[in-house]
Amino acid sequence: MRSIGFGVVLLTLAAPLASVHAQDTIPERPFVRGGVYDKPYLARLLGRAAIGGYAEAHVRFERVDGIVEERGFQLKRFNLFASTEVSDFIRLAAEVEFEEGAEEIKLEFAAIDFRIHQAIALRAGMLLSPIGRFNLSHDSPINEFTDRPLVSTDVLGTALSEPGIGALGVFPLGGLSRITYELYLVNGFHSGLIDNSPDGTRIFEGRGNFEDNNRSPAVVGRVTWSPDLNIEIGLSAHHGAYNEYSVDGVDVEERRNVTLGALDFEVSVAGWRAAGEAALADVDIPPGLVGINASGQRGLYVEVLRDFGYGLVKTMPSSFFSAGVRVDVVDFDTAVTGDNVRQLSLGVNFRPTPESVVKLNYVRGRSHDRFNNPADHARVQLSLATYF
């Protein structure tokens, strides 16, 4: 796993600096499609500030082994965004998320960018960690399915926000080809990934380490290669200690690390779109919990979609439909046969405009507990999401 992190750094350093000056011949494109500064909603109000956001509402029905587990309605998310160009060199962006009817309010992103050159910009604040592409581009209106991929939420902990500082940049390679990178020092995870979950190791329970419990920064980075506008491949890693192993400079227990690695891709060809992500997690477990908590986890998702029916609804000339399928697989403990989930999602979406969507999904899957006992689940979901 550590070699993945070294690979991120080496690929970044190996990008040809001599090609940086070719930017004038390359069409402007977002750093990450659907990322922080690639939003259709931003509207200027006064001076340099721009605001916007998105909202998402669900209708959900779920049965597990024939028993109704969920039937109801949710205002899943209501997010507010703001950004401003302080100068030609300084930008600031922020996102505040209200989730589950404001039951949870979270500052998901708030960062200052200081652009020195297209090859390097400094970024500091509350960052969306670049561990996998989905964590950087997960807005509901551009996500083609109602629920986020299981590997992103349950293995990598999307949406993963961490205080930190680092750099990002673009290296053009000629034509439309380019390499991008992000590399940050962040606070990392805390011991809640073991202590806060009755189900065993759950990395997302270690989020929210806002003051760095062990005063030992973690490192996270992602490097992507894109030969043209229709293909992008990304490699990312996150590594750092999660336990408070030192108090006042005195080691009180062994340092224990958590390491994440992810490979992601996005491809468009002949009217078809495909995307996916695979991830591995390695956690140092205290001796007393070995065999109870998992040290290894993994997962992946792959989705394929096709747009159709452009202008079919005559009163909405910009409208179109899309149909897709997604496969999700997560394994919460690679050392045992059980403790996993596999599911298939089918979806049909209607978009009156690219910024708004109505999604109808059917999900069918099977999970196994740690003793390999199976449970079948099925869900029907109707959701609406829109930028504003």
Side-chain angles (χ1 to χ4, degrees):
M1 293 294 296
R2 295 181 182 178
S3 64
I4 295 177
F6 291 129
V8 170
V9 177
L10 290 175
L11 281 172
T12 299
L13 295 177
L17 293 172
S19 63
V20 165
H21 300 289
Q23 178 68 15
D24 293 339
T25 65
I26 298 177
E28 185 176 352
R29 57 190 289 198
F31 188 81
V32 176
R33 189 184 66 84
V36 174
Y37 292 104
D38 183 37
K39 310 289 188 183
Y41 60 83
L42 287 175
R44 297 217 173 261
L45 289 181
L46 300 172
R48 299 169 296 194
I51 67 168
Y54 74 85
E56 175 187 13
H58 292 186
V59 181
R60 305 176 67 91
F61 175 72
E62 180 177 9
R63 295 172 69 95
V64 178
D65 282 346
I67 300 174
V68 175
E69 289 286 326
E70 186 176 24
R71 181 189 291 156
F73 312 95
Q74 293 180 336
L75 176 60
K76 185 66 176 178
R77 294 180 183 89
F78 186 87
N79 288 31
L80 296 176
F81 299 82
S83 71
T84 184
E85 292 188 11
V86 179
S87 68
D88 292 340
F89 312 102
I90 305 294
R91 294 189 301 181
L92 182 144
E95 174 184 354
V96 178
E97 179 178 72
F98 300 83
E99 194 166 354
E100 307 289 358
E103 184 176 295
E104 178 182 346
I105 302 175
K106 177 183 178 182
L107 181 63
E108 190 166 289
F109 182 84
I112 302 169
D113 286 359
F114 176 25
R115 187 184 183 194
I116 301 170
H117 189 276
Q118 64 172 339
I120 182 169
L122 301 181
R123 173 172 287 180
M126 181 67 74
L127 312 179
L128 279 172
S129 285
I131 180 68
R133 183 184 178 281
F134 195 85
N135 197 57
L136 301 173
S137 177
H138 56 257
D139 293 354
S140 300
I142 61 172
N143 182 11
E144 298 290 351
F145 292 86
T146 297
D147 288 341
R148 294 169 176 176
L150 293 178
V151 65
S152 301
T153 57
D154 294 357
V155 176
L156 298 177
T158 299
L160 177 58
S161 303
E162 302 179 275
I165 187 171
L168 66 159
V170 179
F171 295 100
L173 301 179
L176 297 176
S177 181
R178 71 175 189 175
I179 285 177
T180 69
Y181 76 94
E182 295 182 65
L183 187 63
Y184 307 114
L185 292 175
V186 294
N187 283 357
F189 295 94
H190 60 70
S191 58
L193 60 89
I194 288 178
D195 300 337
N196 294 347
S197 174
D199 299 319
T201 304
R202 294 296 184 268
I203 292 170
F204 58 84
E205 294 285 3
R207 298 176 302 183
N209 190 16
F210 300 125
E211 295 183 2
D212 199 347
N213 63 322
N214 51 35
R215 295 160 294 282
S216 176
V219 61
V220 59
R222 178 174 182 257
V223 61
T224 73
W225 172 62
S226 177
D228 57 46
L229 296 175
N230 298 315
I231 300 174
E232 182 177 277
I233 300 172
L235 178 67
S236 53
H238 189 299
H239 176 79
Y242 69 87
N243 65 319
E244 191 172 357
Y245 59 90
S246 177
V247 177
D248 295 330
V250 178
D251 290 345
V252 296
E253 63 177 340
E254 183 181 352
R255 175 188 171 110
R256 287 188 283 274
N257 298 314
V258 55
T259 304
L260 307 174
L263 175 69
D264 61 82
F265 76 93
E266 186 178 40
V267 177
S268 298
V269 57
W272 293 87
R273 292 178 287 128
E277 200 160 291
L280 297 172
D282 181 74
V283 183
D284 294 336
I285 303 297
L289 295 177
V290 173
I292 299 174
N293 283 78
S295 61
Q297 296 185 336
R298 61 192 174 193
L300 64 84
Y301 87 91
V302 177
E303 63 184 34
V304 180
L305 300 112
R306 174 84 182 198
D307 298 334
F308 65 95
Y310 289 89
L312 192 61
V313 179
K314 301 303 181 184
T315 56
M316 302 178 182
S318 299
S319 66
F320 62 96
F321 294 83
S322 62
V325 58
R326 185 171 78 196
V327 176
D328 286 279
V329 178
V330 290
D331 187 348
F332 294 114
D333 192 342
T334 58
V336 301
T337 304
D339 209 3
N340 55 56
V341 182
R342 293 171 173 82
Q343 68 181 29
L344 178 71
S345 303
L346 304 175
V348 177
N349 300 339
F350 171 65
R351 291 185 180 271
T353 69
E355 294 81 20
S356 305
V357 61
V358 180
K359 310 174 191 177
L360 179 62
N361 297 158
Y362 175 72
V363 182
R364 188 65 184 261
R366 172 171 291 182
S367 61
H368 293 84
D369 63 18
R370 287 189 62 82
F371 304 101
N372 208 30
N373 297 310
D376 293 325
H377 61 269
R379 291 194 292 270
V380 176
Q381 304 165 323
L382 176 68
S383 63
L384 289 77
T386 185
Y387 286 110
F388 60 84

